[in-house]
Amino acid sequence: MTSNTTAEKIQELRKQNNLTQDDFAKRLCTSRTTISNWEQGKCFPTTEQLIKMHEVFNTSADEILQIRPKNGFVCVLDTSAILRRPAILDIIFQNERIEKIIIPDTVISELNYQKDRGKRRQQAWLAMASIEKLRSKNPSRIKITNEKKPDGINDRKIIFAAEQVAKFYSNNFVYLLTEDIFFPLIVQRRPNPNLEIITLKDFDELFVPSFSEYDKLLSANFYAAIKKDDIKAAEKQKFKNTDVNYIDPTTGFTPLIQSIRNKSMPTFQYLLTCPEIDYDKCDNAKYRLPPICHAVQLDNPEMIEALISHGAKVDCQSQGKNKCNTALMMAAWHGRNDILKYLIQQGACTNQQDTNGYTALIKACIRGNNDSVKILLPLTDSRIRSFEGLDAKEYAARNKNSKIVELMKKEYSND
């Protein structure tokens, strides 16, 4: 919308009806000066005046203000969304409804920092490699912007960049894709009509086809090929309407979980390269475990590391019986101490409780895994009680594990 085009449209409307400015003003219950100001582009009609114009001349506000329909979607990416799911870049790139992909240079700086010195080096490395690959494919579609706001914290710089993009692409819907919970609060204070904050979950609902749009036969055949470790056959069944996260009705497994159960590293790695793969989708079996928990069950640290590096949530919870079980809890339960240490390094929450109120420490005490207790004790609030009302030391005592009881007494005495 510009003042010139609106002014021209109002003048055109008046002349089409063979009216002078005085006559036009009378029909709209306003003054000739107001009409003159409109036609010179000095001001716009108010909402009430636009309604009156519609009633008298049967013309819409959009037509008068020269607001064209929104053409398509532009996606601005925040660091949090990219690090959570590096494959999101490929997913967005493959979606024809999204015309432009914008990455603020602040995001690039944050990714480079993570790649070189941060805790999420693998995710950042994957993301940067994907950005370079996609830019080489279509440099006009994926763009890195300089938001030209040198001061302030990075979050505000990224939001400022999104606001500038929304102004530039005024005839598009602009989505800022982020997992940062504070972004919506900042944007709400200065709303932009064509800018919206969305999360990865929102993105999936908006752009990823629902299951009803998938071809069940193709999806079942894709799963069957994965189960047989036949990557070539799987590739032949992979089309836009193939659900690569299909849940097999017999096993209850997804293709990714099936590859973990098969202990097939080549098939597993192939699936990780599929942009549509959901790294956290639970199976449909009794315990409804996510892929990372299956990898812990099978004592496969290589697969666990690969899942996390591709964006799987380290604290992803089970959804079935004994709900809210995590990979850390399962590692503590089975005494898989190398995995336990790695998950803690990746930021796993040691105080998380399942539906019994058990923490990973409590589980290690119940099972009598002394070494697991030694790892978890300094990092866990040992006073947390289960829903049975017992803390970790009381579970160790109930199970007559004197070594753990003594260990915990020392920890309490140090406090």
Side-chain angles (χ1 to χ4, degrees):
M1 180 181 72
T2 67
S3 58
N4 286 339
T5 53
T6 301
E8 290 166 5
K9 191 65 186 177
I10 292 173
Q11 190 175 53
E12 180 187 324
L13 179 64
R14 177 176 64 78
K15 290 180 177 179
Q16 280 177 351
N17 288 275
N18 298 315
L19 298 172
T20 64
Q21 286 188 345
D22 280 324
D23 294 334
F24 198 57
K26 288 175 184 177
R27 297 280 293 274
L28 296 175
C29 303
T30 188
S31 68
R32 188 199 64 78
T33 304
T34 299
I35 302 300
S36 178
N37 286 337
W38 290 351
E39 293 187 357
Q40 292 179 64
K42 292 181 178 179
C43 64
F44 294 114
T46 64
T47 302
E48 292 76 12
Q49 289 166 336
L50 287 168
I51 293 170
K52 185 68 175 177
M53 214 176 294
H54 170 69
E55 291 172 350
V56 175
F57 298 106
N58 193 30
T59 186
S60 70
D62 284 358
E63 187 178 352
I64 292 295
L65 299 176
Q66 292 290 282
I67 297 175
R68 290 168 292 180
K70 306 294 182 188
N71 294 326
F73 301 98
V74 175
C75 196
V76 181
L77 289 168
D78 174 44
T79 316
S80 60
I82 295 174
L83 289 177
R84 176 65 63 83
R85 194 194 299 177
I88 194 66
L89 291 154
D90 293 278
I91 295 171
I92 294 171
F93 193 82
Q94 291 176 17
N95 194 302
E96 295 175 357
R97 295 165 62 199
I98 299 172
E99 295 179 359
K100 293 281 184 182
I101 304 164
I102 309 293
I103 305 175
D105 61 358
T106 299
V107 171
I108 296 296
S109 298
E110 288 182 340
L111 289 174
N112 276 323
Y113 175 83
Q114 287 292 331
K115 180 169 66 74
D116 296 333
R117 299 184 294 279
K119 293 181 179 180
R120 309 190 72 178
R121 293 182 185 179
Q122 290 172 308
Q123 293 96 320
W125 184 89
L126 284 168
M128 290 299 293
S130 184
I131 290 168
E132 289 305 312
K133 179 188 73 175
L134 297 177
R135 288 188 76 197
S136 65
K137 279 185 179 180
N138 192 338
S140 65
R141 185 145 176 259
I142 182 166
K143 183 180 178 184
I144 295 172
T145 62
N146 182 345
E147 53 270 24
K148 297 178 182 177
K149 189 177 183 182
D151 58 327
I153 61 174
N154 284 352
D155 285 357
R156 292 188 182 276
K157 289 182 180 181
I158 294 166
I159 290 170
F160 179 78
E163 290 171 338
Q164 298 307 302
V165 169
K167 288 178 182 177
F168 185 81
Y169 294 99
S170 58
N171 291 309
N172 294 82
F173 291 106
V174 177
Y175 289 125
L176 173 53
L177 182 58
T178 181
E179 289 292 288
D180 192 319
I181 61 173
F182 297 108
F183 273 40
L185 301 176
I186 298 172
V187 173
Q188 280 173 10
R189 292 198 291 269
R190 45 192 193 197
N192 195 308
N194 66 321
L195 174 63
E196 187 176 343
I197 306 291
I198 62 171
T199 63
L200 288 168
K201 183 180 178 182
D202 297 329
F203 177 88
D204 290 342
E205 291 175 355
L206 285 165
F207 294 104
V208 178
S210 66
F211 184 78
S212 61
E213 294 176 277
Y214 290 124
D215 186 298
K216 290 186 179 180
L217 181 59
L218 284 175
S219 304
N221 288 342
F222 179 82
Y223 171 84
I226 293 297
K227 189 174 182 181
K228 292 177 182 177
D229 288 330
D230 191 339
I231 296 172
K232 287 185 179 179
E235 193 62 25
K236 288 179 181 178
Q237 300 297 323
K238 191 173 177 296
F239 298 92
K240 280 189 176 181
N241 55 341
T242 301
D243 182 11
V244 297
N245 300 301
Y246 171 81
I247 292 182
D248 178 66
T250 304
T251 63
F253 296 154
T254 64
L256 182 60
I257 290 173
Q258 184 63 62
S259 72
I260 295 170
R261 303 306 304 185
N262 286 353
K263 300 181 181 179
S264 174
M265 203 64 192
T267 305
F268 172 77
Q269 289 174 331
Y270 160 72
L271 288 169
L272 291 182
T273 65
C274 298
E276 306 89 349
I277 281 290
D278 185 342
Y279 307 116
D280 300 315
K281 185 166 184 176
C282 295
D283 63 42
N284 205 26
K286 181 178 179 181
Y287 293 99
R288 297 200 61 203
L289 299 175
I292 193 170
C293 287
H294 282 275
V296 172
Q297 267 191 342
L298 296 173
D299 195 14
N300 197 318
E302 189 178 359
M303 285 184 172
I304 294 167
E305 186 175 342
L307 282 165
I308 291 175
S309 71
H310 279 77
K313 296 175 185 174
V314 69
D315 286 321
C316 190
Q317 300 172 357
S318 65
Q319 300 298 314
K321 186 178 179 182
N322 192 22
K323 194 175 179 181
C324 300
N325 212 358
T326 66
L328 188 79
M329 294 175 192
M330 293 184 70
W333 182 262
H334 292 290
R336 309 213 193 288
N337 295 320
D338 287 340
I339 292 174
L340 195 67
K341 291 175 185 176
Y342 175 74
L343 293 171
I344 290 170
Q345 288 172 357
Q346 296 303 308
C349 179
T350 55
N351 290 324
Q352 175 70 43
Q353 294 174 275
D354 67 9
T355 47
N356 294 313
Y358 296 163
T359 61
L361 177 62
I362 289 175
K363 286 176 181 271
C365 288
I366 291 172
R367 294 282 285 183
N369 295 329
N370 296 19
D371 290 337
S372 299
V373 171
K374 288 178 183 177
I375 295 166
L376 289 163
L377 190 54
L379 305 169
T380 310
D381 184 350
S382 55
R383 297 165 296 183
I384 293 175
R385 295 183 176 276
S386 72
F387 299 141
E388 192 181 7
L390 303 178
D391 63 20
K393 186 178 73 171
E394 289 166 331
Y395 277 107
R398 191 165 81 174
N399 286 284
K400 300 179 180 179
N401 193 313
S402 57
K403 288 184 179 179
I404 292 179
V405 171
E406 286 301 315
L407 185 66
M408 299 191 79
K409 279 182 180 177
K410 288 180 182 177
E411 184 70 19
Y412 282 127
S413 63
N414 290 335
D415 291 342

